[in-house]
Amino acid sequence: MDNHISVTNTVPMTAKVSPAAKKTLLILNCILLSIGNCGGPLIMRLYFVHGGHRVWLSSFLETAGWPFIVLILIVLFFIRRKSNTKTTIIYMRPRLFFATAFIGIITGLDDYLYAYGVKRLPVSTSALIIASQLGFTAFFAYILVKLKFTPYSINAVVLLTVGAGVLALHTSSDRPKGESKKEYMLGFIMTLAAALLYGFILPLIELTYNKAKQAITYTLVLEIQMVMCLFATIFCTVGMIVNNDFKVIPREATEYGLGETNYYTILCASALIWQCFFLGAIGVIFCASSLLSGIIIAVLLPVTETLAVVFFKEKFQAEKGVSLVLSLWGFASYFYGEYKSTKKPKDILESTKQSMELPLSDYSRV
């Protein structure tokens, strides 16, 4: 796990992975997280802008892509079986299963809060509110996994939070036409609640790794992700049944502004893109920490803002340019701190070797 995290009582038993493999895995998960974080809000907003109205359906789609993980797990199983005929089919133990199922239900609730906010708010506004989850992530990481802040990580949190605050300066003038002030404010509150809840979920996943009492392999991480998404999907499915969404979907598809075919294409693409987000987020936690996952989500805020300007013709004020600079500065600060923290043990090791070699060389000259 991250060098900045120390856990009392228990330490995660992460399976041995070579530094090069872990770095490659981290980059891959960062890419998945970026695709999901930027594309998810846009395609969800696209659904609402052109005539979609079902909030529970949108929240359902955020985790409905979990069968894709099953396919990956099947492929990994056959790969392991070639090298070891006695390989385990399922690595997850009951203790970890129930903990993950609980997180999945919370994730389902968070999905609903977020989908409600995206329905009521422009992408630029909902994205800047969600960026505040970085502060919540840092707070809960300090409480749950005893995260130790460094000057660099503190600087990153402050800069990214200020960047989101700068963007908030233009929210008063972006209320969609035909939407009441009450609906707008409710969307604002629901999105803020989603940010708070997800800021709690990320460190909770890391705590689950720490308390698992079994080796955390990437295959196990995929199993955790699958179970989380399964229970989040079940939670949202219940909401859809209560809200009669399944009966309304065919009619909504025929009346959709972009056509029936595009309607179902958007739903499928939404499920796939959001799966990239959750898979990337949990993978970054495995390779690094929950704080890094939160920082990547926050630093992509200006990218989402820019894409919203391009696709939905939202205004790009000067505040967004300032936020972009602050976000990139915070991101650079965090990674420079990581570089310093990983370099320090190497310097200590080299100096120790030199101190051991000097007396030996002096003795050989006698």
Side-chain angles (χ1 to χ4, degrees), residues 49-98:
V49 166
H50 291 282
H53 302 286
R54 319 312 296 180
V55 176
W56 277 112
L57 171 61
S58 295
S59 58
F60 167 87
L61 293 172
E62 290 184 58
T63 53
W66 64 268
F68 177 71
I69 301 177
V70 177
L71 296 177
I72 298 174
L73 287 171
I74 291 172
V75 171
L76 290 176
F77 169 74
F78 282 110
I79 291 174
R80 291 197 309 272
R81 195 173 182 180
K82 282 185 178 180
S83 57
N84 184 5
T85 55
K86 295 182 180 180
T87 185
T88 305
I89 299 176
I90 300 173
Y91 284 92
M92 184 179 291
R93 296 173 184 171
R95 169 192 174 94
L96 185 57
F97 173 81
F98 290 115

Side-chain angles (χ1 to χ4, degrees), residues 235-247:
F235 178 88
C236 295
T237 301
V238 173
M240 289 180 68
I241 294 171
V242 173
N243 202 43
N244 292 320
D245 280 12
F246 288 105
K247 294 180 180 179

Side-chain angles (χ1 to χ4, degrees), residues 143-274:
I143 293 175
L144 295 178
V145 295
K146 302 298 182 291
L147 179 137
K148 290 184 178 180
F149 290 105
T150 68
Y152 301 103
S153 60
I154 292 173
N155 187 49
V157 171
V158 171
L159 287 170
L160 290 165
T161 304
V162 171
V166 169
L167 279 173
L169 295 174
H170 79 283
T171 55
S172 59
S173 60
D174 66 351
R175 179 152 49 99
K177 291 180 181 180
E179 188 171 291
S180 67
K181 188 175 181 180
K182 182 180 178 181
E183 290 173 333
Y184 180 88
M185 288 306 299
L186 185 57
F188 195 98
I189 292 169
M190 296 284 263
T191 308
L192 185 62
L196 187 152
L197 190 56
Y198 199 66
F200 172 70
I201 289 171
L202 289 177
L204 189 61
I205 293 171
E206 188 169 359
L207 180 65
T208 303
Y209 288 170
N210 296 344
K211 301 281 188 177
K213 293 185 177 179
Q214 66 180 103
I216 305 296
T217 63
Y218 192 64
T219 300
L220 182 59
V221 169
L222 290 174
E223 290 180 5
I224 291 171
Q225 171 67 7
M226 184 195 69
V227 172
M228 275 179 54
C229 288
L230 172 61
F231 277 86
T233 304
I234 292 171
F235 178 88
C236 295
T237 301
V238 173
M240 289 180 68
I241 294 171
V242 173
N243 202 43
N244 292 320
D245 280 12
F246 288 105
K247 294 180 180 179
V248 177
I249 288 173
R251 186 177 75 244
E252 188 176 74
T254 57
E255 298 172 356
Y256 194 63
L258 296 178
E260 187 174 356
T261 302
N262 286 330
Y263 176 85
Y264 289 112
T265 301
I266 288 171
L267 296 189
C268 293
S270 181
L272 184 60
I273 291 172
W274 278 116

